Amino acid sequence: MSMLLVKSIAAGLAGTYAETHYGPNLGTTTLGLPRAFGATPLILTGMSFWTLLHGFFVVGRSRSKYMELAKKDGEKDVDERYGLPNLYAQGTSKHAKAYNCAQRSHQQIFETFPYFCIVSLLGAVHYPITSAVATLAYSVGRVQMSMGYANEEGDAGKRYSKPLARFMWYGVLMNIVVSAISCIS
């Protein structure tokens, strides 16, 4: 964890320094924002759309799939335990654990995404390229982590099984650094 923090801080500092001293001067828009500012909201919009689709398709299909498997295996009260309005399936069967991991892959997004949007946009005000790179790292890592969570049949420990899943945390921490520097610049 400490190396993740050190690397993220170093990357954020290096990105803001490089963008300030060597980055292209693209000018500003009529709103006074850098021309490259739009890259960060564009990536965030794509991530929002993906989140919506992930909830509909991955989590929705998982609920149906694991309810059906639980019924075939003779579990009791399946509709009551797995069905809506329950967010998570009740119980500790392998099917309940597998569905709960799929649901968690979607729910965990809402624990990081709102504040991530804020720090990304704050950072993009002064460092649009660095913020866009960190936002892209977050997005790629977030998708990979969610797919690892949802596709490992109930083993939450394998949420980082995809090779780029940890990039999510680099993107989050880098954008926190970039937004802090942007606020004091």
Side-chain angles (χ1 to χ4, degrees):
M1 178 63 179
S2 61
M3 281 310 292
L4 173 74
L5 190 59
V6 169
K7 288 178 182 179
S8 299
I9 291 170
L13 292 173
T16 56
Y17 180 83
E19 190 167 347
T20 301
H21 291 87
Y22 306 108
N25 184 0
L26 302 173
T28 58
T29 65
T30 56
L31 295 174
L33 295 170
R35 290 209 184 277
F37 175 84
T40 296
L42 181 65
I43 296 167
L44 291 171
T45 300
M47 190 64 203
S48 297
F49 185 67
W50 177 84
T51 300
L52 182 68
L53 292 178
H54 181 70
F56 283 145
F57 294 112
V58 174
V59 178
R61 286 181 184 161
S62 292
R63 183 182 299 270
S64 299
K65 172 185 173 181
Y66 292 114
M67 281 178 76
E68 193 174 307
L69 289 171
K71 286 177 183 177
K72 284 182 183 176
D73 282 356
E75 289 185 29
K76 295 181 181 184
D77 303 319
V78 172
D79 290 327
E80 186 178 304
R81 291 178 32 236
Y82 287 77
L84 293 170
N86 294 332
L87 189 59
Y88 292 98
Q90 299 168 5
T92 58
S93 71
K94 65 181 180 181
H95 303 304
K97 287 180 181 179
Y99 168 71
N100 288 343
C101 278
Q103 173 62 29
R104 182 77 183 127
S105 76
H106 186 247
Q107 190 66 30
Q108 203 269 341
I109 295 168
F110 301 115
E111 296 170 8
T112 58
F113 195 60
Y115 83 84
F116 181 75
C117 289
I118 293 168
V119 296
S120 298
L121 294 172
L122 284 174
V125 169
H126 286 105
Y127 305 104
I129 297 169
T130 306
S131 184
V133 168
T135 302
L136 186 61
Y138 167 85
S139 298
V140 168
R142 172 79 261 171
V143 168
Q144 292 249 310
M145 182 180 168
S146 291
M147 298 318 285
Y149 232 143
N151 295 329
E152 295 300 333
E153 299 296 319
D155 187 352
K158 292 185 179 177
R159 64 187 176 273
Y160 295 111
S161 63
K162 306 291 183 201
L164 303 176
R166 294 191 189 278
F167 277 39
M168 181 187 112
W169 298 112
Y170 287 109
V172 167
L173 295 171
M174 268 181 69
N175 259 331
I176 289 171
V177 170
V178 172
S179 71
I181 294 170
S182 181
C183 287
I184 59 175
S185 293

